[in-house]
């Protein structure tokens, strides 16, 4: 399925139905009074977050959404029917902006969270409301009010605790596949992954966290190279980034590994400071490609070199996503980190 994470649409609530003027004309009732009913309320437009939806594809081609108008009032004291409300389903993690001033209207992060975008117009009053001691046969009625309308922008930034970051082919998708039930495509060519995939990692009895696999990043992404850097927005709400570095196939020596890692961090910095300053750990992937007896010295050398550059991280984990060596240590480390964060958040509240 195509993944869409941005959309701009126009939403219109329904107009209220008009009230009417009518008079009772029944047999044996010589002077029937006013009997014109009220118009029905116009339908409102709501957005609702759902965990069953993961893209904004529905809003890509259809751009205008209208709730139903209320029906006009009728004779014999009958009120018009209210217009049906319209519910727009969006993925969790969708932020709704007002297109005119770019302000955030809603941030839909909970499953089932429902918010009103546009209120339906009130129905008009029928002439039954205008009867008085001096005017027993009123002809007045009012028209229904127009419903609200607005232009909104929807932006999805997936909800994950941990985001994977790295060059194409670094093994991000292989890693998420080995630690969760997510099934992104894996291949030995760059840009295999074209949109984010989420995986739930269960760690012992302690709980679980959500990890996001995103497309590969390359130097110059901020100027549009590769798939660009737009998809980095999906990392914005994560609490931790894991920078996956291929130490085997693509980069033959420590110097180029460090250079490559720094290039990725430079792209993060160009995207924004908040992302660059997010806690970031390193996974040295594809360790299986290094002979076992050389691994210790190699890890020490690369770790020391990485600490001197932009990619510097306190936490460096050697892993093989293919054989799953070292991945439990990384996942347990993340689980502990998440639990600590949760404890700190609880204490501060
Ligand atoms: N030897 C070895 N190969 C690996 C390992 N992890 C991934 N690979 C291989 O590296 C290639 C790229 O893996 P992917 O998981 O698709 O890489 P990616 O980072 O998701 O790449 P993009 O989606 O293009 O950004 C595949 O051929 C994998 O089989 C590993 O630990 N060891
Ligand atoms: Mg991938």
């Amino acid at each position: 399925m195509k993944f869409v994470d941005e959309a701009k649409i126009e939403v219109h609530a329904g107009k209220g139905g008009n009230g009417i003027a009518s008079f009772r004309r029944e047999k044996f009732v010589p002077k029937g009074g006013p009997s014109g009913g009220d118009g029905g309320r116009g339908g409102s437009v709501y957005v609702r977050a759902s965990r069953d939806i993961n893209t904004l594809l529905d809003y890509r081609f259809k751009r205008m959404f209208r709730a139903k108008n209320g029906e006009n009032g009728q004779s014999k004291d009958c009120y018009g029917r209210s217009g049906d409300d319209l519910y727009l389903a969006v993925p969790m993690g969708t932020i709704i902006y007002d297109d005119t001033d770019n302000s955030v209207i809603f941030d839909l992060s909970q499953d089932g969270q429902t918010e009103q975008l546009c209120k339906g117009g009130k129905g008009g009053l029928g002439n039954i409301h205008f009867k008085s001691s001096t005017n027993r046969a009123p002809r007045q009625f009012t028209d229904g009010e127009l419903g609200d309308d607005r232009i909104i922008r929807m932006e999805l930034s997936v909800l994950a605790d941990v985001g994977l970051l790295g060059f194409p082919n670094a093994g991000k998708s292989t890693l998420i596949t080995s630690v969760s039930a997510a099934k992104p495509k894996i291949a030995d060519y760059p840009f295999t992954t074209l949109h984010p995939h989420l995986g739930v990692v269960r760690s012992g009895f302690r709980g679980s966290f959500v990890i996001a696999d995103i497309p590969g990043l390359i130097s110059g992404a901020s100027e549009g190279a590769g798939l660009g850097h737009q998809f980095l927005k999906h990392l914005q709400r994560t609490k931790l980034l894991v920078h996956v570095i291929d130490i085997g196939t693509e980069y033959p020596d420590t110097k180029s590994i460090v250079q490559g890692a720094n290039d990725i961090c430079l792209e993060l910095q160009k995207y924004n400071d908040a992302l660059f300053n997010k806690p970031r750990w390193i996974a040295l992937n594809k360790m299986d490609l290094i002979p076992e007896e050389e691994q210790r010295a190699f890890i020490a050398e690369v770790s020391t070199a990485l600490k001197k550059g932009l990619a510097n991280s306190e936490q460096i984990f050697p892993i093989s996503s293919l054989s799953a060596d070292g991945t439990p240590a990384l996942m347990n480390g993340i689980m502990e980190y998440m639990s600590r964060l949760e404890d700190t958040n609880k204490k501060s509240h």
Side-chain angles (χ1 to χ4, degrees), residues 110-186:
Q110 308 290 329
D111 185 33
Q113 187 181 342
T114 306
E115 307 283 359
Q116 190 179 63
L117 280 175
C118 286
K119 197 167 173 181
K122 274 195 199 141
L125 298 176
N127 66 340
I128 48 177
H129 294 283
F130 295 94
K131 186 177 160 186
S132 67
S133 54
T134 51
N135 186 359
R136 286 163 186 274
R139 297 191 165 274
Q140 294 111 299
F141 60 89
T142 58
D143 283 342
E145 291 175 7
L146 287 176
D148 296 339
D149 54 46
R150 68 204 308 183
I151 297 177
I152 58 164
R153 225 160 31 75
M154 300 173 159
E155 216 177 281
L156 168 64
S157 126
V158 298
L159 293 176
D161 302 299
V162 183
L164 299 180
L165 174 76
F167 280 126
N169 269 343
K172 301 177 294 300
S173 301
T174 312
L175 175 57
I176 199 174
T177 307
S178 93
V179 297
S180 77
K183 295 268 171 289
K185 193 166 151 193
I186 294 172

Side-chain angles (χ1 to χ4, degrees), residues 168-174 187 191-193 216 285-286 288 320-322:
N169 269 343
K172 301 177 294 300
S173 301
T174 312
F191 305 117
T192 312
T193 303
N285 191 31
K286 310 199 185 179
D288 55 290
S320 165
S321 299
L322 210 55

Side-chain angles (χ1 to χ4, degrees), residues 193-212:
T193 303
L194 297 174
H195 61 78
H197 290 264
L198 298 183
V200 179
V201 179
R202 298 189 195 285
S203 185
F205 296 112
R206 275 171 301 182
S208 61
F209 57 87
V210 178
I211 196 162

